Amino acid sequence: MSDLNEVQRRAITDGDGHTLVLAGAGSGKTRVIVERLAWLAGERGVDPRNILAMTFTNRAAEEMRERVLARLGVDRLGAWLGTFHSFGLYVLRRDIDRLGRKKSFTVFDDTDQLSAMKRLVQDLPQTFARVSPREALQWVSRLKQDVASPDKTTAPASPEEESYRALWDRYHDALARASAVDFDDLLVLTSRLLEEHPEVREKYQRRYRYVHIDEYQDTNRAQYLIAKRLSEGAGNLFVVGDEDQSIYSWRGANIRNILDFERDFADAKVFRLEQNYRSTQAILAAANAVVANNEQRLGKTLWTAAQGGDRVRLYMAKDDEDEARFVIDEIASGGTALNETAVLYRTNGQARPIEEALRRKGLAYRVIGGVKFYARKEIKDILAYLRLLVNPEDDVSVRRVLNVPPRGIGGVSLERIEAYATERKLPLMQVLREIEIDQSLGPRPRDAAAEFVRLIDDLTLLAQTSKTATLVKTLLEKTKYRDYVQSSDERDFRARLEVVDEFVTACAQYDEKKSGDLLSFLQDLALVSDTDEYQAGQPMVTLMTCHSAKGLEFDSVFLVGLEEGLLPHANAEDSEMDVEEERRLCYVAMTRARKRLTLTAAESRMVYGQKRPCKASRFLDEIPSGQIEVLGEEEDETDYRRAGAPGGKARRVPAEAPKADAGRLKMGTRVRHARFGVGTVMYTSGVGTKLKARIRFATGPTREFMVSATPLEILEGSR
């Protein structure tokens, strides 16, 4: 550990107890966890089987595992290193029967959940309000992530909530009938086991005496409870996180978990990692200036020993096409290797003009977060067949492939089968086994159902002895699935068949790497995350959302669309807490850059086929004028900022004005801001270059600014 800095060494060798490592972007947090695990297993002599480390993505877990093994010089560690969801799956496979559930359950992914919810919404009585299946799932998920359930002691707040409450019960009944769990259940049911069954809790506490959590700022209520209960045994909880990178509240993450760590654990020790090993000082200074405007933070200021670097660049485009042209021309100029270049945006829809410009220029690129390989229809069909082989009670999979390829079981026949299954409370597969004696159906659907049952039975037997690739090849042959693909899509069938062939290749590669059975194969696929596809080093430009970029880094980053309504997003306008999360998202995106950071904004953008004017993002105002190079404008003593009017031209604001008048700012002072207009100072805090002012503007919003970095004009007199 000789090349670690002093704070890193102190955190790693801190010993037992509750420890919070506040690790800023690029400060070597993964290195700290790796060295901590190696120190425990090596220097402290802790049995690796007593060590647990959980993170959020398979890619991060695999990197952690490989680095620890390399650090210790061994082939196998014995510690449990993986994602929260994979740990939940590990626990539930062993102890879910304590909750009255079968251990052979299926894990429903997003598509399976949506398919199930669509049917439930359709089956709601006419007296209920119509709701979107996806919104219903989001409502259910928000409650589950907080380890909560609908409050049935109070009346619904709206007709839609009444529908959501009814769907809550129906959805979980459907999961139980299918012997299935969803992704939230992997955490919620695990936390329930640890809360409600002392013998289960004590078993895992004895096993895992040293608990480590990476990206602690992203934990939700269920993950917090899992970590808390596991660490109560030996009292050792080591968490690493950064409140300034908490950007996932929309999927349940609770920033209070990291902000309240010292309150939750009385003996907590806190270490701040502020030395950055990734970005230039110029990039860090700009990013620090933005995130410093947030109030929900524990506080840290990133710095680097490598001083200097190019100033952050800003290009004010006429429209989104001009923005795309500029970005791609810059990339094509050859300043940075393609594989070290990324274009980041707030929403997926912003990628289209960038993609078109890349294609016109003939530059290779990849889109992270688009249609995933395992989300394609062909793969979902094959996986549905495979899941039936390990869980015949999976009704969602039955519905998906019962008539794929077509077997002659029409909609009317399927409705009768469904009604019969609902009436008798039986899985669809069991009803299909009895259908040969059901004279209410015609001979064709009866024969087709019998054929389907025989196919599943034959493949189930084959799965006991064959490798996954052999099983899939047999499945494709028996179902004539390739012929089905070709006949159903004459134009693009070749591309779709390539997807099928690639899946067979993936199965074969799995067979070579692992000796697990079909259930293990399906479990691994169920835990694949959005950014697991990313592979560094390939010679192509990377396009992704700011959220997907978390944890990655590139020599050159283009952060596009820095406009009100995009970043910060329009959904955040009415909540200061949401604006703070958008600011953190901007900070995360900026700190992905190692050597060069380029920001762009457009005066207008095409939205739903219409060109609309745009305002530059408030986050641009928060970057000190001396740290931005505005491209396309002559250099002089003035600072260029956007006008407050929509679509207005860049205008000049004296760069030294805020500093000259800063001493006159006090409560009640009237000021004018370039974008927000006239306002009144509510209060100030700090002194000198750290002076902050909270200002209420006549247009409605209230904002806090770092005075030394904000173009303010102090008006004479008072309101």
Side-chain angles (χ1 to χ4, degrees):
M1 295 189 288
S2 59
D3 59 339
L4 295 174
N5 64 48
E6 177 62 25
V7 181
Q8 288 174 327
R9 282 195 295 272
R10 285 168 46 210
I12 291 166
T13 59
D14 180 55
D16 294 351
H18 298 89
T19 303
L20 167 62
V21 179
L22 282 177
S27 62
K29 71 174 182 60
T30 303
R31 175 82 187 276
V32 166
I33 292 182
V34 168
E35 292 294 344
R36 167 75 176 184
L37 299 179
W39 180 76
L40 286 173
E43 300 297 325
R44 285 286 299 274
V46 174
D47 187 336
R49 290 172 297 181
N50 296 143
I51 297 174
L52 170 68
M54 291 182 286
T55 185
F56 283 81
T57 68
N58 292 321
R59 183 173 55 81
E62 187 61 29
E63 178 187 358
M64 187 189 303
R65 182 180 298 108
E66 290 177 355
R67 290 174 64 171
V68 172
L69 292 175
R71 175 69 175 80
L72 293 175
V74 297
D75 296 327
R76 188 175 182 278
L77 180 61
W80 204 100
L81 309 180
T83 66
F84 269 101
H85 287 92
S86 59
F87 179 74
L89 184 59
Y90 172 82
V91 172
L92 294 180
R93 285 291 182 209
R94 286 153 181 79
D95 294 293
I96 196 174
D97 55 328
R98 309 292 181 100
L99 301 176
R101 310 283 285 271
K102 295 181 180 179
K103 293 182 179 180
S104 60
F105 59 84
T106 296
V107 181
F108 273 16
D109 64 13
D110 293 342
T111 304
D112 302 320
Q113 291 175 253
L114 187 59
S115 176
M117 187 61 80
K118 282 180 178 178
R119 294 189 57 81
L120 296 174
V121 169
Q122 291 171 359
D123 293 342
L124 275 179
Q126 292 298 317
T127 55
F128 283 88
R130 296 294 96 184
V131 295
S132 159
R134 193 171 295 280
E135 289 178 353
L137 281 174
Q138 291 171 348
W139 188 88
V140 168
S141 183
R142 280 194 293 270
L143 280 177
K144 294 176 75 168
Q145 289 168 352
D146 286 336
V147 195
S149 57
D151 181 6
K152 297 182 179 180
T153 63
T154 60
S158 65
E160 289 76 18
E161 184 175 336
E162 182 182 21
S163 297
Y164 292 150
R165 290 187 184 186
L167 290 168
W168 170 280
D169 293 329
R170 288 167 167 78
Y171 174 69
H172 288 96
D173 287 345
L175 286 178
R177 286 197 304 273
S179 188
V181 300
D182 61 21
F183 253 49
D184 290 327
D185 286 330
L186 295 179
L187 303 177
V188 173
L189 296 181
T190 300
S191 68
R192 272 188 58 194
L193 275 171
L194 298 176
E195 289 279 329
E196 300 172 7
H197 295 271
E199 71 283 4
V200 175
R201 180 171 66 247
E202 291 166 7
K203 176 176 71 172
Y204 289 103
Q205 286 176 348
R206 288 194 300 271
R207 172 69 187 274
Y208 301 115
R209 299 181 58 79
Y210 291 86
V211 180
H212 301 75
I213 309 295
D214 189 17
E215 305 287 7
Y216 190 67
Q217 76 281 347
D218 294 334
T219 53
N220 59 29
R221 176 67 178 172
Q223 290 160 331
Y224 166 81
L225 289 175
I226 291 171
K228 190 172 189 294
R229 292 293 174 248
L230 287 175
S231 64
E232 283 175 342
N236 296 318
L237 178 61
F238 187 95
V239 306
V240 181
D242 180 6
E243 81 281 14
D244 290 335
Q245 297 187 71
S246 179
I247 58 174
Y248 295 118
S249 67
W250 49 275
R251 69 182 190 194
N254 187 348
I255 192 174
R256 300 309 313 179
N257 290 346
I258 190 168
L259 294 180
D260 295 341
F261 189 87
E262 291 179 272
R263 186 195 69 181
D264 292 341
F265 305 101
D267 65 335
K269 290 152 286 186
V270 179
F271 298 90
R272 283 174 167 78
L273 304 185
E274 297 178 304
Q275 184 174 357
N276 179 280
Y277 296 94
R278 175 191 300 155
S279 306
T280 65
Q281 185 60 44
I283 293 171
L284 295 180
N288 284 336
V290 171
V291 79
N293 289 275
N294 276 357
E295 294 183 1
Q296 289 194 95
R297 60 193 306 255
L298 297 170
K300 75 186 78 65
T301 301
L302 297 182
W303 62 276
T304 178
Q307 295 296 313
D310 295 338
R311 281 191 297 170
V312 175
R313 305 186 307 159
L314 171 64
Y315 181 73
M316 310 300 294
K318 292 184 176 63
D319 53 31
D320 45 358
E321 291 187 356
D322 180 36
E323 177 184 63
R325 177 200 55 76
F326 163 76
V327 170
I328 305 315
D329 285 349
E330 287 287 306
I331 294 173
S333 67
T336 306
L338 295 185
N339 61 292
E340 289 295 351
T341 302
V343 182
L344 308 183
Y345 36 79
R346 177 62 176 84
T347 64
N348 279 306
Q350 295 171 251
R352 181 195 58 78
I354 303 292
E355 286 192 69
E356 291 179 355
L358 282 164
R359 286 196 294 267
R360 286 194 298 269
K361 208 75 171 181
L363 296 177
Y365 69 94
R366 57 176 158 219
V367 180
I368 304 299
V371 177
K372 306 295 191 301
F373 178 79
Y374 289 104
R376 294 178 179 272
K377 178 188 182 304
E378 297 77 27
I379 306 306
K380 300 294 290 184
D381 288 345
I382 299 171
L383 287 175
Y385 273 109
L386 296 179
R387 283 165 34 172
L388 278 176
L389 307 186
V390 298
N391 181 14
E393 296 179 353
D394 184 349
D395 285 354
V396 170
S397 292
V398 172
R399 293 188 189 101
R400 183 177 187 97
V401 297
L402 181 57
N403 211 35
V404 176
R407 293 186 174 85
I409 303 177
V412 175
S413 298
L414 182 56
E415 285 181 8
R416 289 180 181 175
I417 296 169
E418 291 267 11
Y420 187 70
T422 301
E423 179 182 340
R424 296 188 58 192
K425 297 183 179 180
L426 294 174
L428 288 177
M429 200 67 193
Q430 187 170 337
V431 172
L432 292 172
R433 293 185 183 280
E434 303 172 4
I435 206 171
E436 288 183 336
I437 60 175
D438 184 357
Q439 297 301 315
S440 67
L441 296 177
R444 186 180 181 191
R446 291 206 307 270
D447 292 342
E451 176 191 344
F452 180 79
V453 171
R454 284 194 296 271
L455 170 67
I456 298 301
D457 288 346
D458 291 343
L459 292 173
T460 301
L461 288 174
L462 182 63
Q464 308 302 316
T465 57
S466 297
K467 291 183 176 294
T468 305
T470 301
L471 179 64
V472 171
K473 290 177 182 177
T474 304
L475 164 64
L476 296 173
E477 292 170 3
K478 285 183 174 291
T479 59
K480 295 183 172 57
Y481 191 81
R482 295 176 188 276
D483 295 338
Y484 160 70
V485 170
Q486 184 168 349
S487 62
S488 62
D489 192 348
E490 294 182 358
R491 186 181 64 177
D492 295 327
F493 76 91
R494 289 185 178 85
R496 295 179 62 188
L497 287 177
E498 288 174 359
V499 171
V500 174
D501 292 338
E502 185 63 25
F503 181 71
V504 175
T505 300
C507 294
Q509 291 174 340
Y510 179 86
D511 291 337
E512 290 180 4
K513 293 180 180 178
K514 300 185 178 181
S515 58
D517 56 11
L518 177 60
L519 179 60
S520 300
F521 174 73
L522 294 175
Q523 286 181 180
D524 285 355
L525 288 188
L527 296 171
V528 171
S529 70
D530 283 353
T531 56
D532 286 338
E533 299 173 16
Y534 174 76
Q535 296 292 330
Q538 299 179 13
M540 55 181 66
V541 180
T542 299
L543 276 59
M544 64 173 72
T545 65
C546 299
H547 283 100
S548 296
K550 178 90 170 354
L552 304 178
E553 57 185 68
F554 304 87
D555 281 351
S556 179
V557 168
F558 293 84
L559 176 55
V560 301
L562 269 162
E563 300 143 24
E564 294 293 307
L566 282 179
L567 189 61
H569 196 274
N571 292 342
E573 288 294 329
D574 297 330
S575 168
E576 192 64 31
M577 288 182 61
D578 291 342
V579 170
E580 289 207 359
E581 178 154 334
E582 292 291 302
R583 187 176 282 111
R584 292 193 292 268
L585 183 60
C586 182
Y587 169 81
V588 166
M590 294 173 73
T591 53
R592 299 310 96 196
R594 286 192 288 252
K595 299 178 181 178
R596 172 176 284 193
L597 173 62
T598 305
L599 312 176
T600 70
E603 293 181 11
S604 65
R605 194 170 292 274
M606 193 70 73
V607 181
Y608 297 117
Q610 294 183 335
K611 183 164 287 192
R612 298 184 181 179
C614 305
K615 291 182 181 179
S617 171
R618 69 195 71 182
F619 302 151
L620 290 176
D621 283 341
E622 296 168 356
I623 302 175
S625 58
Q627 294 172 2
I628 282 193
E629 175 189 358
V630 182
L631 304 177
E633 300 282 357
E634 71 270 18
E635 290 286 342
D636 58 21
E637 73 281 359
T638 57
D639 174 38
Y640 294 85
R641 298 289 177 185
R642 300 282 283 156
K649 298 294 184 182
R651 69 188 182 102
R652 303 181 182 187
V653 179
E656 298 302 320
K659 296 180 182 178
D661 294 333
R664 296 167 53 195
L665 281 179
K666 59 183 180 180
M667 187 173 66
T669 302
R670 294 177 65 226
V671 297
R672 179 183 287 115
H673 187 276
R675 186 166 68 84
F676 293 105
V678 175
T680 303
V681 176
M682 299 171 62
Y683 60 83
T684 62
S685 62
V687 295
T689 59
K690 295 185 178 181
L691 177 67
K692 292 182 180 180
R694 189 80 172 174
I695 303 172
R696 185 187 303 281
F697 292 95
T699 52
T702 299
R703 298 286 186 268
E704 185 172 87
F705 301 97
M706 186 74 72
V707 175
S708 63
T710 306
L712 293 174
E713 177 186 355
I714 296 181
L715 304 177
E716 296 299 330
S718 60
R719 185 181 293 269

